[in-house]
Amino acid sequence: MPRLSYVEGKLRALIGRTAKPQGTSDALSVHLRTISYFNFHTLKKATKNFHSNNLLGSGGFGPVFLGKLGDGQLIAVKKLSVDKSQQGEREFLAEVRLITSIQHKNLVRLLGCCSDGAQRLLVYEYMKNRSLDQILYGKSDIFLYWKARHQIILGIARGLQYLHEDSHIRIVHRDIKASNILLDDKFQPRIGDFGLARFFPEDQAYLSTAFAGTLGYTAPEYAIRGELTEKADIYSFGVLVLEIISCRKNTDLSLPSEMQYLPEYAWKLYERSRLIDLVDPKMREDGIVEKDVMQTIYVAFLCLQPHANSRPPMSEIVAMLIRNVAIVETPTRPAFLNRKRRNDKKLSWDTITDGFPSPLQSDSSSK
């Protein structure tokens, strides 16, 4: 392991290359002593030269590999894709700076990083049960009982509450989805992949920014108009909750038309008083407390409200999930995105089903 002064020097030089977010002052501190600087040779050896057998998954940033250090510690190494170096470089620096500034039991823990020539890598603690999408979408033999699913939903909510309300600076993740939720050996969830996260100045109601994220999980006001607040994460959380309960993807074009988009299908079942049909059949066979599952679905509907200001903050969502407060508000029809195809390969839908005015009343914006 390099001497501490050398490690800190390398990390300070690396992180100093990313500008502080506008309006954050010194609130975004970087705790360099919480992470290590790895050389590329060490990570190459740990992952057996990034062998395909060690591939854990792949995202917008690049592939993630299982690694084993000399002391036996298992790690997850996220490797920047070379052909995405310009965007990836920004995401790499943003993620290092952000993840070293925040700590919470429901956020993934960064162990270290590497910047060696053209190589950019992030080293995370290894999560034994990997990512949530592999369980939900049938890529794993693991079955989650309702207690485990509720634990995962609540843990994600608490992680988002920390980012939005309890951290020293307001943070919007922008890409809450099943593949970015990692599970430890006890199926406790940890939110990962902060490459798209944005910081909010305290005096700013929303950011006006180009769309980034995963359409299908994205709030309409952000996907259509580029209006970004923490309520965009809350919308994504609502979609994810429905996925966890139904054990299916939010969009599946192989299904009959009315079932293809999960929030739309869930609302139709609600209108027909058949909401129980949304629940994963295996979980229903195992036995559930129906009122607990129904309450959680109602929480998801509140997260999916068409007006951003109608979605409750994460602190209220957590309280509803642990039944500290009763749900007194009746959800209205969520905002849906049409399934109409576009020629634009980056988008899957082009408009929402119902027009709605901007609920964000502020003249402030940021690029």
Side-chain angles (χ1 to χ4, degrees):
M1 182 67 66
R3 290 180 293 110
L4 185 60
S5 59
Y6 173 76
V7 171
E8 289 197 3
K10 291 284 286 186
L11 289 172
R12 287 188 188 281
L14 172 66
I15 296 170
R17 285 157 46 193
T18 182
K20 290 181 180 179
Q22 184 180 2
T24 61
S25 184
D26 289 325
L28 189 61
S29 59
V30 179
H31 304 290
L32 299 180
R33 293 177 184 271
T34 66
I35 65 173
S36 301
Y37 186 87
F38 291 87
N39 64 57
F40 182 68
H41 176 74
T42 297
L43 299 181
K44 184 177 179 180
K45 181 178 179 181
T47 58
K48 297 183 179 178
N49 195 20
F50 305 100
H51 197 280
S52 58
N53 288 344
N54 283 19
L55 183 67
L56 295 175
S58 187
F61 186 105
V64 181
F65 294 89
L66 171 65
K68 187 175 183 180
L69 298 176
D71 62 2
Q73 181 180 8
L74 295 177
I75 56 175
V77 181
K78 184 158 63 170
K79 189 173 186 286
L80 169 64
S81 297
V82 176
D83 60 344
K84 298 181 180 179
S85 58
Q86 187 173 3
Q87 178 183 354
E89 176 81 355
R90 289 194 299 270
E91 293 182 6
F92 171 79
L93 294 172
E95 189 155 355
V96 171
R97 187 172 180 85
L98 186 149
I99 204 68
T100 56
S101 303
I102 54 176
Q103 290 186 346
H104 187 272
K105 67 178 183 178
N106 293 119
L107 305 181
V108 70
R109 185 162 67 95
L110 181 71
L111 301 178
C113 61
C114 172
S115 177
D116 186 346
Q119 302 293 339
R120 302 288 183 271
L121 304 101
L122 295 170
V123 181
Y124 288 97
E125 58 182 336
Y126 174 68
M127 295 285 102
K128 181 179 179 181
N129 286 307
R130 300 172 68 170
S131 57
L132 179 59
D133 64 315
Q134 298 190 30
I135 296 176
L136 295 183
Y137 306 155
K139 299 177 183 178
S140 168
D141 293 331
I142 296 173
F143 171 73
L144 295 175
Y145 298 92
W146 170 241
K147 183 177 180 180
R149 298 192 202 202
H150 187 266
Q151 170 183 277
I152 291 168
I153 291 169
L154 181 58
I156 299 167
R158 284 175 166 156
L160 286 173
Q161 179 184 348
Y162 172 79
L163 293 176
H164 295 173
E165 304 174 35
D166 299 336
S167 175
H168 57 285
I169 186 168
R170 191 160 52 121
I171 298 167
V172 177
H173 186 279
R174 285 209 295 177
D175 205 15
I176 295 297
K177 59 182 179 180
S179 60
N180 285 339
I181 305 301
L182 305 177
L183 303 172
D184 67 12
D185 57 342
K186 296 181 180 179
F187 293 96
Q188 289 289 347
R190 305 212 181 178
I191 300 170
D193 200 339
F194 286 83
L196 297 181
R198 293 294 298 268
F199 313 91
F200 273 72
E202 289 300 321
D203 60 348
Q204 200 153 307
Y206 72 96
L207 296 179
S208 178
T209 183
F211 168 77
T214 305
L215 204 59
Y217 290 96
T218 309
E221 74 278 358
Y222 177 43
I224 305 301
R225 295 191 299 270
E227 294 174 346
L228 177 67
T229 70
E230 63 269 24
K231 296 304 179 78
D233 280 350
I234 292 170
Y235 183 95
S236 302
F237 174 76
V239 176
L240 181 55
V241 169
L242 294 182
E243 286 190 323
I244 293 171
I245 289 173
S246 63
C247 212
R248 55 152 286 189
K249 292 183 179 181
N250 67 77
T251 303
D252 187 344
L253 300 180
S254 69
L255 294 173
S257 177
E258 71 167 15
M259 298 175 65
Q260 290 178 357
Y261 186 47
L262 182 56
E264 182 179 13
Y265 175 55
W267 186 255
K268 287 179 178 178
L269 290 175
Y270 171 74
E271 291 179 320
R272 299 168 186 167
S273 299
R274 290 175 46 202
L275 203 47
I276 191 65
D277 291 350
L278 185 71
V279 180
D280 178 6
K282 291 183 180 179
M283 192 166 66
R284 287 160 56 187
E285 291 172 7
D286 177 67
I288 57 172
V289 179
E290 185 172 329
K291 66 177 182 178
D292 292 343
V293 179
M294 292 301 106
Q295 166 139 336
T296 306
I297 296 175
Y298 292 151
V299 171
F301 282 148
L302 292 177
C303 295
L304 295 170
Q305 295 301 281
H307 287 196
N309 288 342
S310 297
R311 300 169 205 149
M314 289 309 305
S315 53
E316 290 185 16
I317 291 169
V318 169
M320 287 186 282
L321 289 172
I322 60 178
R323 303 183 72 85
N324 274 0
V325 298
I327 299 177
V328 296
E329 183 179 353
T330 301
T332 59
R333 186 171 183 263
F336 305 135
L337 294 173
N338 282 337
R339 292 183 297 272
K340 183 179 177 181
R341 295 275 190 175
R342 287 184 52 151
N343 292 329
D344 186 344
K345 295 180 181 179
K346 296 181 180 180
L347 299 176
S348 300
W349 304 275
D350 73 347
T351 60
I352 57 169
T353 56
D354 294 312
F356 58 95
S358 172
L360 304 172
Q361 303 299 323
S362 172
D363 294 327
S364 60
S365 64
S366 175
K367 296 294 183 184

